Amino acid sequence: MTRDEQFMRLALAEAQKAAENGEVPVGCVIVYKDQVIAAGRNRREKGKSALAHAEIAAIRRACRVLGGWRLWECELYVTLEPCPMCAGAILNARIPRVVYGAADEKAGAMGSVFDLFSFPLNHKPEVVSGVCAGESRALLQAFFEKLRQRPKKKWNKNTQPPEQT
Amino acid sequence: MTRDEQFMRLALAEAQKAAENGEVPVGCVIVYKDQVIAAGRNRREKGKSALAHAEIAAIRRACRVLGGWRLWECELYVTLEPCPMCAGAILNARIPRVVYGAADEKAGAMGSVFDLFSFPLNHKPEVVSGVCAGESRALLQAFFEKLRQRPKKKWNKNTQPPEQT
């Protein structure tokens, strides 16, 4: 197993925990000098927040651990290609290396829908894609398959609608 | 004074508070059914977090107030053009209307460096720019002018570097 696969397995374990909590399974770890210093998983439904993505949770914790907003000696591992918000957070935190698993054709901002780092911004990390992508996709597919088998909840405009796939 | 200018003045008041705390002056308010339900200001240095932008703080609070991650009946007012992270957070929260003040030529993701909403993503808000832009720019210019007059702090690689302009 490569070094990147080893760390990605830890991110996959976070994704698995998200699935067990009824959340879309995406997990993330942040590595500093070969040590995992922060982990995060998607908890958008339970956390009731548009910001509760795995990468945001992990970046918040890593900033706390290192005592500042610059994570310029860290690597970020995430099971799914980051969305625009998370790619932007990686940019703002000056993370120099990002490793992701499965591509996200609907919302991926590191090559799928567009590539954030193709624009003249003030930071450009190294990006490695496709690490343990099969395992990441399998987790997501199993989650959505289970979701489709559930009876649909009804909702009205005065409450939050049920989760979307 | 227009309705947009009225709400933008509240965002400018948040930006002013940021400046008073030694932070780059950017402020934001979120409006739901003509009422301000959340406000936020930049506190990246004091908060020691790459995520501590005005919009992120306001979106977090608005999600808490409304009890869910979808802010589909809200308007967001921010004094400076959102960066990629914040534009992505607006997308994730499904905010249908964004009003901003000054353009950000270095990091703006709503037309300056690139336009996030020109890509085929699953949400596209109405965007209004240039509201109270002069006041917003004046606050930023005064802040950076003051910063340049300060003696420079020394730093080494083991600590976080001083704030950048």
Side-chain angles (χ1 to χ4, degrees):
Chain A
M1 202 189 292
T2 66
R3 180 178 175 279
D4 279 346
E5 285 168 350
Q6 281 179 342
F7 287 124
M8 190 59 85
R9 295 226 169 271
L10 301 176
L12 283 164
E14 289 295 318
Q16 178 64 45
K17 285 186 223 166
E20 286 160 13
N21 287 318
E23 302 277 358
V24 176
V26 183
C28 176
V29 297
I30 293 179
V31 173
Y32 172 74
K33 297 184 178 175
D34 288 324
Q35 299 282 330
V36 172
I37 58 161
R41 56 181 183 267
N42 175 45
R43 50 187 301 280
R44 192 176 62 167
E45 299 297 334
K46 295 267 163 55
K48 296 183 191 298
S49 170
L51 311 173
H53 283 198
E55 300 95 312
I56 297 291
I59 289 172
R60 181 177 301 122
R61 281 171 202 143
C63 287
R64 210 173 293 154
V65 169
L66 296 181
W69 60 263
R70 294 171 190 84
L71 305 178
W72 81 89
E73 292 180 288
C74 292
E75 298 161 279
L76 183 143
Y77 290 81
V78 60
T79 57
L80 185 68
E81 182 182 356
C83 76
M85 172 180 75
C86 294
I90 288 164
L91 169 81
N92 290 354
R94 312 283 192 266
I95 295 175
R97 186 166 190 268
V98 177
V99 181
Y100 72 81
D104 184 349
E105 299 299 332
K106 279 188 186 171
M110 292 195 180
S112 288
V113 179
F114 71 103
D115 180 6
L116 179 63
F117 303 113
S118 67
F119 298 107
L121 294 157
N122 61 358
H123 177 71
K124 190 181 168 67
E126 176 197 349
V127 176
V128 177
S129 63
V131 174
C132 304
E135 289 92 323
S136 172
R137 261 196 306 272
L139 266 176
L140 287 160
Q141 282 165 355
F143 177 81
F144 287 119
E145 186 55 38
K146 207 171 148 189
L147 207 64
R148 276 190 290 271
Q149 288 166 0
R150 276 192 341 189
K152 286 201 172 169
K153 281 188 215 160
K154 286 185 181 169
W155 66 285
N156 65 64
K157 263 276 182 186
N158 297 320
T159 60
Q160 290 275 321
E163 65 204 46
Q164 290 160 340
T165 60
Chain B
M1 200 188 296
T2 66
R3 180 179 177 276
D4 279 348
E5 284 168 351
Q6 281 179 340
F7 286 124
M8 190 60 85
R9 296 227 168 269
L10 302 176
L12 282 163
E14 289 294 317
Q16 179 63 45
K17 285 186 222 167
E20 287 161 11
N21 286 318
E23 301 277 357
V24 176
V26 183
C28 176
V29 297
I30 293 178
V31 173
Y32 172 73
K33 297 182 178 176
D34 287 323
Q35 299 282 329
V36 172
I37 58 160
R41 55 180 185 268
N42 175 44
R43 49 187 303 279
R44 191 176 62 165
E45 299 297 334
K46 295 268 163 54
K48 296 183 190 300
S49 170
L51 311 174
H53 284 197
E55 301 94 312
I56 297 290
I59 290 172
R60 182 177 301 121
R61 280 170 203 145
C63 287
R64 211 173 293 154
V65 169
L66 296 182
W69 60 263
R70 293 171 191 85
L71 305 178
W72 81 92
E73 293 180 289
C74 293
E75 297 161 283
L76 183 144
Y77 290 80
V78 61
T79 58
L80 184 67
E81 183 183 355
C83 76
M85 173 179 75
C86 294
I90 287 163
L91 168 81
N92 290 353
R94 312 286 191 264
I95 296 174
R97 187 166 189 266
V98 177
V99 183
Y100 72 81
D104 184 349
E105 299 298 333
K106 277 187 186 173
M110 291 193 181
S112 288
V113 178
F114 71 103
D115 180 6
L116 180 62
F117 303 113
S118 66
F119 298 106
L121 294 157
N122 60 358
H123 178 69
K124 190 179 166 71
E126 178 197 347
V127 177
V128 178
S129 63
V131 174
C132 305
E135 290 91 323
S136 172
R137 261 196 307 271
L139 266 177
L140 288 160
Q141 281 165 354
F143 178 82
F144 286 120
E145 187 55 42
K146 208 171 149 188
L147 206 66
R148 277 190 290 271
Q149 289 166 0
R150 276 193 339 191
K152 287 203 174 166
K153 281 188 215 160
K154 285 183 181 169
W155 66 283
N156 65 64
K157 263 274 179 185
N158 297 319
T159 62
Q160 290 275 322
E163 67 205 44
Q164 291 161 339
T165 59

